[in-house]
Amino acid sequence: MAVAIRLRREGTRNSPYYKMVVVDKRSPRDGKFIEIIGAYDPKKPGANYKVDLARIDHWVKNGAQMSDTVRSIVKKARVAEKAA
């Protein structure tokens, strides 16, 4: 089974909110998922993400591939973690 880490859209129209989920690559965007590992709110200013970096490392080590957007959010989270 090919596994991916990508965003799942939630919220209402004009008010999106995303959850970072681990999914089978063949499942639809808002379909069944394996685990929720973070959240992203594009409308919120400042640090608009919440990420469990330990779980991301676990899944990537086991072969999961991150989408481009998730990769950039994780990169920001790692920089913020080092600064703190």
Side-chain angles (χ1 to χ4, degrees):
M1 170 170 72
V3 178
I5 302 172
R6 65 182 181 208
L7 296 176
R8 171 191 172 98
R9 191 179 196 279
E10 306 224 339
T12 60
R13 186 170 43 152
N14 297 326
S15 182
Y17 178 82
Y18 298 92
K19 290 189 178 171
M20 256 181 247
V21 293
V22 179
V23 296
D24 179 9
K25 280 189 174 183
R26 297 169 292 184
S27 68
R29 180 192 72 186
D30 296 336
K32 205 174 359 174
F33 59 90
I34 300 168
E35 180 181 2
I36 298 174
I37 55 177
Y40 170 61
D41 187 358
K43 296 270 186 168
K44 184 178 170 186
N48 54 2
Y49 53 84
K50 182 173 54 173
V51 181
D52 186 355
L53 294 174
R55 293 305 295 166
I56 286 181
D57 292 339
H58 166 78
W59 281 104
V60 169
K61 186 177 79 174
N62 288 318
Q65 294 182 342
M66 292 187 273
S67 69
D68 294 336
T69 308
V70 170
R71 190 175 297 115
S72 69
I73 293 169
V74 169
K75 187 177 177 182
K76 287 180 195 176
R78 290 195 194 281
V79 169
E81 183 183 46
K82 282 189 178 184

